[in-house]
Amino acid sequence: MMANEHEASAYERKTYYVSVQAGSILEDPTATSYELVITANEEELNRLQELFEELASMDEAQTAVYGLTPFSSASDKQINAGTDGLLEDIYRLLYELGTDETKRHVATMGLFPEGSLQ
């Protein structure tokens, strides 16, 4: 494969099937259940995978902190703020890359103020 061919394929958009709950991005819709469908190039796909990895790391960290201090004074809201912010980033990216059906679904989730998803 020549450099130009690889470069072109990096910008080529493919269809992917995403499960936010499982943190998975698949090319095969029959492999497992998924919630949303997107079209993304390599760079966009990497960005989404990085967000999923951050979310998984944050979940593990929060579980560890809670396990050490189950009666801490931090409110659930404070503890979940980081996760919520990441989920918003993930859903905003999914909206940008999503099919029409995915865009409609994300828009109806109530995560974003009316008109902020453009």
Side-chain angles (χ1 to χ4, degrees):
M1 179 185 279
M2 296 184 346
N4 287 350
E5 285 178 36
H6 179 69
E7 222 172 88
S9 70
Y11 292 104
E12 185 182 314
R13 297 179 89 84
K14 291 184 189 173
T15 299
Y16 296 96
Y17 303 88
V18 179
S19 170
V20 177
Q21 285 181 315
S24 63
I25 307 164
L26 305 163
E27 290 186 56
D28 178 2
T30 62
T32 187
S33 61
Y34 62 91
E35 296 124 34
L36 304 165
V37 181
I38 62 168
T39 55
N41 63 32
E42 220 172 274
E43 185 181 319
E44 293 162 334
L45 188 64
N46 289 338
R47 214 164 85 211
L48 184 57
Q49 285 173 322
E50 285 170 14
L51 287 170
F52 277 153
E53 286 166 17
E54 273 185 62
L55 185 63
S57 299
M58 192 171 285
D59 279 348
E60 287 169 20
Q62 286 177 347
T63 301
V65 167
Y66 184 76
L68 293 173
T69 57
F71 304 105
S72 93
S73 60
S75 71
D76 286 347
K77 197 170 199 154
Q78 288 171 310
I79 291 170
N80 293 331
T83 305
D84 292 348
L86 261 177
L87 282 171
E88 283 181 21
D89 291 346
I90 289 169
Y91 278 109
R92 189 173 299 279
L93 182 56
L94 290 172
Y95 181 86
E96 287 173 26
L97 304 175
T99 60
D100 288 344
E101 186 178 341
T102 294
K103 286 180 192 290
R104 279 193 299 275
H105 178 76
V106 172
T108 62
M109 292 176 71
L111 288 173
F112 305 100
E114 192 76 30
S116 71
L117 286 173
Q118 298 302 327

